[in-house]
Amino acid sequence: MSDETRTSRGSRASRRTRRGLAAAAALLLAGLAAAPVAAATGERTQQTRRGDLVAVTPVADRDAGQVRSFLTGWDVDADGVRYGLRAYRLTYRTVDPYGAPTTATGLLTLPRGGGHRLDLVSDTHGTMVDRDYAPSVSEDFGRVPSYVNAAAGRAVAAPDYLGLGKGPGPHPYMDTVSSVTASVDMLRAARTAAERLGRPLTGAVYATGFSQGGQVAMALGRALEEGADRHFRLVALAPVSGPYDLEGQEMPALFDGRVNDTSGVLYIAYWLVAQNRLHPLYKDPSEAFRAPWASRVEGLLDGSHEQEDVVRGLAPSVKQLLTPAFHERLRHPSGAVLDAMRTADHTCDWKPDVPVRLYAAAGDTDVPLGNTRTCARTLAGQGARVRVVDQGAVDHFGSVLVSAPQVVRFFDGVRR
């Protein structure tokens, strides 16, 4: 479900890359100014639409050697790097979970070289509680898939989702519908921005994503095949370690030891707080969380705290975090709790007409492999041909580091 349960090496690399980005951005933005785009001004008078571009802000300019260094710093295979890249934060118009107009941000990454017209990769990221860790803001782990794919010669659109990056409001964590609308609208904004940057898109979309983003990638693929936007056509689908089965796999794994305590506490707290804004799960946090955590959990998950601070501020285990009644309610879900789970649990019950490869790892104690097995069986039951790639003993975080270059090679082998 997330990309935050990292090793100590990953945390040190995270801090180094954040400092490096701050220095590089200061130099970059001295020569490249943000480019606001008129919406409902005299320059453009028609009604604004979902996906309309509001602003383009350069955030990275890297040659091929720098891209290789970035990737090898995360122990990612950089043999597929052919080009340098340029990355931009896009601000665009979309809708919130209730359909009201809002804005969101995301990262558009373009190769420095290759063909004039570019195919597009949609890369949807994993769980993050800190809005400043989003792909368009931080040059950190979340940019690994974007950089791998762009350096291989494709454009990459990586939405921050609602409420992360520079978008307003709280993040509606694991709300599949709004994650898909934000992702589709990011594709639209990317199409406009790429055209204006002199690298028009072909309309072909390769969908990938990690953890929470793996589940979003499945749902986005379905939306594209069902005609969510006439300019885009799905070409291939390759999610990594997605929580596709909350009811049957992920939630039970929180209580039977398959999910480690640190990740389990983070996920369940985040999920309950976010879903309670959309479903009537509890009237007061004390109904779900024990003291003293009931009084602090919503504040910790307001988007301004780093993951390490959130984890330190919560209980050491799910059983200690939740009240006995709510613990049992999650172990035996019904009513609004079950509805919230099932709202996210239908991303694999369709038949993709494109090649599909599901990546996961047997050693994952954040999103157990059973989630991917369930998704594969469900897709096969609809008549789809699916291959599962089990990366073995690596952990959740490691599953995407190993898989990302393999996803690029899979996309390279797909014939449009």
Side-chain angles (χ1 to χ4, degrees):
M1 224 183 255
S2 89
D3 54 23
E4 307 91 333
T5 52
R6 303 179 289 249
T7 63
S8 59
R9 180 205 59 77
S11 296
R12 290 194 296 271
S14 170
R15 290 190 288 271
R16 288 198 302 271
T17 52
R18 288 187 184 184
R19 288 195 295 269
L21 176 62
L27 293 173
L28 175 69
L29 297 179
L32 292 172
V37 180
T41 66
E43 192 175 319
R44 182 176 183 184
T45 57
Q46 69 263 39
Q47 185 178 8
T48 57
R49 299 166 299 181
R50 282 180 45 192
D52 275 356
L53 192 59
V54 176
V56 179
T57 305
V59 294
D61 190 345
R62 306 284 179 257
D63 62 30
Q66 290 171 318
V67 176
R68 290 189 189 96
S69 295
F70 174 83
L71 295 175
T72 56
W74 288 102
D75 295 331
V76 174
D77 177 5
D79 288 348
V81 173
R82 296 194 289 273
Y83 309 105
L85 55 84
R86 294 186 177 93
Y88 307 83
R89 180 187 308 122
L90 306 187
T91 304
Y92 62 96
R93 301 191 186 282
T94 187
V95 291
D96 70 12
Y98 307 98
T102 188
T103 59
T105 54
L107 184 74
L108 171 65
T109 310
L110 302 175
R112 282 171 41 176
H116 176 61
R117 290 171 58 81
L118 300 170
D119 290 350
L120 181 64
V121 173
S122 172
D123 171 48
T124 42
H125 67 71
T127 303
M128 54 185 61
V129 297
D130 181 355
R131 64 171 55 250
D132 289 335
Y133 190 60
S136 82
V137 179
S138 176
E139 188 171 51
D140 213 311
F141 166 75
R143 288 197 187 175
V144 166
S146 288
Y147 282 14
V148 168
N149 280 281
R154 297 182 184 89
V156 187
D160 293 334
Y161 306 144
L162 298 178
L164 296 173
K166 300 298 183 180
H171 172 50
Y173 179 54
M174 292 298 293
D175 179 50
T176 307
V177 173
S178 64
S179 295
V180 170
T181 57
S183 298
V184 170
D185 293 344
M186 176 63 189
L187 298 181
R188 293 167 173 156
R191 178 172 176 265
T192 301
E195 181 79 30
R196 295 179 184 180
L197 291 165
R199 304 301 299 278
L201 304 180
T202 65
V205 175
Y206 300 75
T208 187
F210 169 57
S211 195
Q212 176 190 1
Q215 190 252 19
V216 175
M218 286 299 305
L220 174 64
R222 182 175 190 167
L224 292 176
E225 285 220 337
E226 292 178 351
D229 190 288
R230 63 185 178 85
H231 294 290
F232 296 111
R233 61 190 181 280
L234 185 67
V235 174
L237 187 55
V240 182
S241 302
Y244 313 107
D245 186 10
L246 296 186
E247 181 185 358
Q249 292 290 331
E250 190 65 24
M251 286 294 177
L254 291 173
F255 304 104
D256 65 16
R258 283 178 291 153
V259 172
N260 68 81
D261 284 339
T262 299
S263 297
V265 167
L266 180 70
Y267 293 151
I268 198 62
Y270 201 9
W271 187 79
L272 287 172
V273 168
Q275 290 294 313
N276 192 58
R277 301 187 189 104
L278 306 173
H279 306 274
L281 303 184
Y282 59 79
K283 293 181 180 179
D284 187 273
S286 62
E287 296 175 27
F289 304 100
R290 295 176 187 255
W293 304 292
S295 63
R296 68 176 71 148
V297 62
E298 293 184 346
L300 284 170
L301 292 164
D302 65 357
S304 68
H305 294 79
E306 293 189 2
Q307 175 241 323
E308 293 83 359
D309 294 331
V310 174
V311 170
R312 280 195 295 267
L314 295 175
S317 71
V318 172
K319 189 169 185 178
Q320 290 171 277
L321 177 70
L322 301 175
T323 63
F326 219 87
H327 187 272
E328 286 305 301
R329 197 174 163 195
L330 289 172
R331 288 187 63 200
H332 306 287
S334 63
V337 169
L338 184 59
D339 290 343
M341 293 180 191
R342 289 180 173 174
T343 297
D345 275 354
H346 296 283
T347 59
C348 299
D349 57 355
W350 60 293
K351 181 185 177 182
D353 292 325
V354 301
V356 179
R357 195 162 291 182
L358 303 180
Y359 298 79
D364 192 338
T365 61
D366 285 50
V367 182
L369 182 62
N371 282 276
T372 296
R373 298 291 187 197
T374 297
C375 182
R377 286 194 300 271
T378 304
L379 289 167
Q382 300 294 319
R385 297 182 63 184
V386 183
R387 178 183 169 190
V388 173
V389 179
D390 180 357
Q391 304 292 12
V394 300
D395 62 12
H396 186 58
F397 179 64
S399 72
V400 72
L401 299 180
V402 174
S403 298
Q406 297 178 16
V407 170
V408 171
R409 292 193 287 272
F410 169 57
F411 288 165
D412 285 344
V414 173
R415 293 183 178 181
R416 290 195 280 116

